[in-house]
Amino acid sequence: MSPPIDLEFQGVPGVIAAHVIATTDGLALVDTGPASTLPALQAGLGQLGARLEDVRHILLTHIHLDHAGAAGTLLAQLPQARVYVQARGAAHLQAPERLMASAAQIYGDEMDTLWGEMRPVPADRMTVLQGGETVRLGDTEVRALYTPGHAVHHLAYHVGADLFVGDVGGIRLAEGQSARPPTPPPDIDLPAWATSIALLRGVPADTLHLTHFGSYRQEQAHWDGLERNLAADSEVVRRALESGQDLPAVTDTFTEHLRVALAAEGPELPERFAHACPPWMSVQGLARYWTRAAVRRG
Ligand SMILES: [Zn+2]
């Protein structure tokens, strides 16, 4: 497995990766990053001795802009290539207007510099997966695993000794950092995430590949850390909400919790982590989850 391509998102190394799988039917990319980092993707492929035109398959873990934003643009340049996506993400990929409109509400003027364009993916260039099936790319077998929790349409991909975990495997920016959950709106689902972790723990792979960021050994400690941090993060937000804090106050509480936890594992981690998933966004996702849970309880 070649090393991940560092897309140097916002000029910062080690935030968003694209992973490359060599097959007898061309290259497969696991996640493309956003359109804004396409030059870095192209340069990274060049460093691996490959060209953009060698890419035949685009395996999306999910359709968030930082993972799938460039997919449509790439397809327009690569007439041979196909995109693989979970069924519940497919419609948004074909017609990304709603996705872009909701992102624009969050990012406003920064949309273009952060993400760039998101072009639609034509239906006939798309293989829609449920999760559970095996896809053959040349002589490489790719097993898609339905892994909701971070996003309702999230897939992980198991290829031999390698397991590509997208965002359901957490954000881990250094060997010494425990995996932490990115929890943006709108799909955060804690029980589903726990089920996905249990599934991925049992996958017989040697190496985990994270979009944010890099490759780590498949060890129970990775998943233990993610579970612990998911419980801690969600409790911080739940308690702050229950104590009557408004969203800005919850955000302050959570940001400080996260800063302290990350700084204890590495002084440079809090800043880099915020590029992968800003704390205010994680608060929005968890606040939405708890508010809906309260409604469900009546
Ligand atoms: Zn992400």
Side-chain angles (χ1 to χ4, degrees):
M1 188 64 46
S2 47
I5 294 176
D6 190 339
L7 298 178
E8 305 213 3
F9 179 57
Q10 299 296 287
V12 182
V15 174
I16 303 181
H19 294 277
V20 184
I21 305 169
T23 83
T24 53
D25 184 31
L27 297 180
L29 287 180
V30 182
D31 291 340
T32 62
S36 59
T37 57
L38 270 173
L41 178 65
Q42 199 156 4
L45 286 167
Q47 279 172 15
L48 298 175
R51 299 168 312 155
L52 202 54
E53 296 71 43
D54 299 327
V55 174
R56 289 289 183 90
H57 310 280
I58 295 172
L59 301 165
L60 297 177
T61 61
H62 62 302
I63 62 164
H64 293 167
L65 284 164
D66 53 331
H67 296 255
T73 309
L74 280 172
L75 280 193
Q77 296 178 33
L78 304 172
Q80 306 287 333
R82 290 190 75 70
V83 165
Y84 301 76
V85 65
Q86 210 278 336
R88 296 182 73 167
H92 288 294
L93 218 51
Q94 277 177 57
E97 297 80 17
R98 260 183 63 195
L99 196 72
M100 291 303 270
S102 60
Q105 278 184 9
I106 299 173
Y107 297 106
D109 294 348
E110 292 185 281
M111 275 299 283
D112 249 20
T113 38
L114 281 171
W115 310 119
E117 66 175 4
M118 186 165 187
R119 293 175 68 155
V121 172
D124 63 353
R125 307 284 304 278
M126 195 186 276
T127 298
V128 177
L129 303 169
Q130 299 296 328
E133 53 274 89
T134 297
V135 179
R136 251 172 229 284
L137 311 178
D139 58 8
T140 301
E141 287 192 355
V142 179
R143 192 159 62 101
L145 302 166
Y146 182 54
T147 43
H150 169 82
V152 74
H153 58 274
H154 194 288
L155 293 173
Y157 295 102
H158 179 207
V159 185
D162 297 289
L163 179 57
F164 300 86
V165 295
D167 278 359
V168 82
I171 298 175
R172 188 175 174 190
L173 304 178
E175 189 67 40
Q177 189 219 303
S178 55
R180 304 198 74 95
T183 59
D187 290 345
I188 298 307
D189 182 334
L190 299 182
W193 203 322
T195 304
S196 294
I197 289 174
L199 173 69
L200 294 174
R201 269 182 190 279
V203 174
D206 298 332
T207 310
L208 303 174
H209 301 283
L210 279 62
T211 306
H212 316 289
F213 176 99
S215 304
Y216 303 91
R217 283 173 57 99
Q218 157 80 312
E219 291 177 326
Q220 297 307 316
H222 176 92
W223 301 109
D224 294 343
L226 179 60
E227 268 180 347
R228 200 167 54 237
N229 290 327
L230 185 56
D233 286 7
S234 56
E235 272 306 290
V236 166
V237 171
R238 189 184 64 80
R239 279 201 302 269
L241 287 169
E242 279 187 6
S243 74
Q245 290 185 17
D246 61 11
L247 212 55
V250 178
T251 302
D252 288 346
T253 303
F254 181 84
T255 303
E256 183 58 9
H257 149 78
L258 186 65
R259 192 191 63 75
V260 170
L262 283 168
E265 296 180 327
E268 53 92 32
L269 290 173
E271 197 190 328
R272 195 148 57 96
F273 194 96
H275 286 283
C277 187
W280 54 264
M281 184 133 49
S282 279
V283 169
Q284 286 190 8
L286 287 168
R288 181 179 160 98
Y289 171 76
W290 286 123
T291 306
R292 293 163 103 197
V295 170
R296 283 195 297 276
R297 280 196 305 274

